[in-house]
Amino acid sequence: MAVRSQFDYIIIGSGMAGLQLALAMVEDPFFKTKTIALIDPDSKTSNDRTWSFWEVEKTNTKWESLIHATWPKANIYTSNKHIKLDLEPYSYKSIQAIDFYNYSKQKLRKIDNVTFIKAPVTKTQDTATGVNVITSSSIYKAHHVFDSRIPKAFFTSKKSINIIQHFKGIVIKTEQPVFDTLTMTMMDYRLKDGAQTTFTYVLPFTANEALVEFTYFTTAKVKEAVYDSYIETYIKDYLKIENYTILNTEMGAIPMTTFPFSDYNTENITKIGTAGGWVKASTGYAFKHTELKVSTIIENIKRDKHPSSNLFKKKYRFYDKVFLSVLKDENDKGEWLFEQFYNKNDVTSMFRFLDETSSFKEELKIMWSLLSWRFVKAFFKTL
């Protein structure tokens, strides 16, 4: 059967943001008669990453059937402190990418007005009546396009603060039950790569299986062998595990940046996902932020507003910029910043702040907890 070439909406990229947006559209009666295409050269058949987020424990999340593991407690280790967090009323949850991909594709392929197109997009052209989306072999047209491709200008930008959250993680299986399945390790700074912000992240899926990930918040990446060395050392010296099997591997690089992605929205094209600035600049978390952005986009369309209207709150962009300024100018101070943040604030205030739903009173308390000369300098530098 011939693939149609004209759509109401085209989503470029069937990753997390593109699939969340498509799912939200087909779940809303408003889009019942709208035609939607997802264009991506990748079929999304590998478990290439793990997405985690926190939410109020008894929340009936729309992703509940996909949750791979849940933790009610968390550990933060710094060079001189062990912070134990009882996350109540929240819990920390994890989703495997392959489960999300399979769930989304299975659901979307049952919808007659959704089309998957496997092809690389080479160009988009704004026209008076919509957008032409040009692939290696065809031209597709849409009234509006949602584009997850990062603007080329990002990679050459000199004006923005650009920190990269880059990491490698391995899922290991042990012969004996060694992991506490109630407690994840959010950050462990005891093993570091010099005077940089680096830490280990551990998600115990079962008593015998866990994701162990070594992460950098720096301006430059490292060779894969460097991650391997620190992961191996952490498993041996800190987890005290000698024998294990590697079940899966994941690597990634997430921009933590002040780059103005939203400047690349046009009347007929909306940037989404990382390309839309949807990744929380100070933490790299994206899954729940994407859900909130998608919800706003859906409501904007239904109210005949531009899809990108009111997607961001300026004050949180300011807070993120101050944090990134400290990381850029004094990268070794990341450990201190996160220690103050997690040690001096209650869980509800911290998560509300990171979810960008906090009150001004909560924000003042958090800013006060981070008060230092380096933070004051970054504050006024950002102003």
Side-chain angles (χ1 to χ4, degrees), residues 134 143 163 211 322:
I134 303 169
H143 297 305
I163 303 293
L211 169 67
V322 172

Side-chain angles (χ1 to χ4, degrees), residues 208-273:
N208 296 74
E209 189 179 315
L211 169 67
V212 183
E213 195 166 271
F214 196 73
T215 302
Y216 288 76
F217 285 3
T218 56
T219 56
K221 299 180 187 178
V222 298
K223 294 182 178 179
E224 187 172 357
V226 177
Y227 304 112
D228 292 336
S229 174
Y230 283 105
I231 292 171
E232 192 174 308
T233 299
Y234 187 85
I235 292 172
K236 181 180 178 182
D237 295 347
Y238 293 87
L239 296 180
K240 306 297 182 184
I241 297 171
E242 294 289 341
N243 299 312
Y244 57 89
T245 303
I246 298 176
L247 301 180
N248 192 36
T249 300
E250 61 180 49
M251 289 184 69
I254 302 169
M256 301 165 64
T257 179
T258 61
F259 183 80
F261 289 106
S262 56
D263 288 355
Y264 293 83
N265 294 329
T266 69
E267 182 64 27
N268 300 316
I269 300 175
T270 299
K271 289 290 187 179
I272 64 171

Side-chain angles (χ1 to χ4, degrees), residues 73-121:
K73 300 178 181 180
N75 285 323
I76 308 285
Y77 295 96
T78 66
S79 300
N80 51 31
K81 194 179 289 289
H82 177 195
I83 304 168
K84 298 180 179 180
L85 296 177
D86 184 341
L87 303 181
E88 190 179 357
Y90 291 82
S91 59
Y92 195 79
K93 300 180 179 182
S94 180
I95 288 177
Q96 302 282 293
I98 191 63
D99 294 334
F100 174 77
Y101 296 148
N102 289 342
Y103 165 85
S104 302
K105 290 187 294 184
Q106 183 180 34
K107 188 167 185 177
L108 291 169
R109 283 183 173 135
K110 293 179 180 178
I111 310 298
D112 291 338
N113 59 330
V114 174
T115 303
F116 282 88
I117 300 169
K118 186 177 180 181
V121 172

Side-chain angles (χ1 to χ4, degrees), residues 4-100:
R4 65 186 301 153
S5 61
Q6 178 77 46
F7 299 91
D8 290 300
Y9 304 104
I10 288 178
I11 300 171
I12 301 175
S14 56
M16 184 239 290
L19 289 173
Q20 280 207 34
L21 178 58
L23 287 171
M25 285 180 168
V26 301
E27 289 166 357
D28 193 305
F30 179 86
F31 298 90
K32 188 174 183 180
T33 60
K34 305 297 183 182
T35 52
I36 303 162
L38 294 99
I39 306 178
D40 196 311
D42 189 342
S43 299
K44 306 297 182 194
T45 56
S46 64
N47 191 32
D48 55 359
R49 63 199 66 203
T50 301
W51 291 303
S52 298
F53 55 91
W54 50 80
E55 63 183 358
V56 175
E57 191 172 352
K58 294 182 180 180
T59 301
N60 184 21
T61 175
K62 64 189 295 184
W63 314 112
E64 199 63 40
S65 64
L66 302 180
I67 302 299
H68 188 66
T70 302
W71 302 271
K73 300 178 181 180
N75 285 323
I76 308 285
Y77 295 96
T78 66
S79 300
N80 51 31
K81 194 179 289 289
H82 177 195
I83 304 168
K84 298 180 179 180
L85 296 177
D86 184 341
L87 303 181
E88 190 179 357
Y90 291 82
S91 59
Y92 195 79
K93 300 180 179 182
S94 180
I95 288 177
Q96 302 282 293
I98 191 63
D99 294 334
F100 174 77

Side-chain angles (χ1 to χ4, degrees), residues 126-317:
D126 254 319
T127 71
T129 57
V131 185
N132 292 333
V133 177
I134 303 169
T135 72
S136 54
S137 58
S138 302
I139 297 177
Y140 301 96
K141 300 178 184 293
H143 297 305
H144 200 91
V145 166
F146 297 94
D147 189 356
S148 65
R149 297 172 304 153
I150 296 176
K152 291 180 180 178
F154 167 74
F155 301 101
T156 57
S157 173
K158 302 297 182 184
K159 296 181 179 180
S160 305
I161 301 174
N162 292 316
I163 303 293
I164 310 168
Q165 180 180 154
H166 53 105
F167 55 86
K168 180 176 180 179
I170 60 173
V171 177
I172 64 171
K173 186 171 185 177
T174 61
E175 296 174 356
Q176 302 298 323
V178 295
F179 299 111
D180 174 6
T181 57
L182 296 178
T183 309
M184 53 83 63
T185 297
M186 192 168 287
M187 291 177 161
D188 189 339
Y189 286 97
R190 292 175 295 174
L191 179 64
K192 290 185 286 188
D193 184 357
Q196 303 180 98
T197 296
T198 62
F199 58 90
T200 310
Y201 174 69
V202 183
L203 299 181
F205 299 135
T206 70
N208 296 74
E209 189 179 315
L211 169 67
V212 183
E213 195 166 271
F214 196 73
T215 302
Y216 288 76
F217 285 3
T218 56
T219 56
K221 299 180 187 178
V222 298
K223 294 182 178 179
E224 187 172 357
V226 177
Y227 304 112
D228 292 336
S229 174
Y230 283 105
I231 292 171
E232 192 174 308
T233 299
Y234 187 85
I235 292 172
K236 181 180 178 182
D237 295 347
Y238 293 87
L239 296 180
K240 306 297 182 184
I241 297 171
E242 294 289 341
N243 299 312
Y244 57 89
T245 303
I246 298 176
L247 301 180
N248 192 36
T249 300
E250 61 180 49
M251 289 184 69
I254 302 169
M256 301 165 64
T257 179
T258 61
F259 183 80
F261 289 106
S262 56
D263 288 355
Y264 293 83
N265 294 329
T266 69
E267 182 64 27
N268 300 316
I269 300 175
T270 299
K271 289 290 187 179
I272 64 171
T274 301
W278 294 7
V279 175
K280 178 68 173 169
S282 57
T283 64
Y285 281 94
F287 195 87
K288 292 295 282 187
H289 280 273
T290 296
E291 184 179 334
L292 292 171
K293 304 298 184 196
V294 164
S295 178
T296 300
I297 284 176
I298 295 297
E299 290 306 309
N300 283 338
I301 293 173
K302 291 163 65 175
R303 294 174 183 176
D304 201 25
K305 294 182 178 180
H306 191 277
S308 64
S309 296
N310 302 314
L311 278 185
F312 299 97
K313 299 176 182 177
K314 288 183 179 180
K315 64 177 180 178
Y316 291 107
R317 283 188 160 182

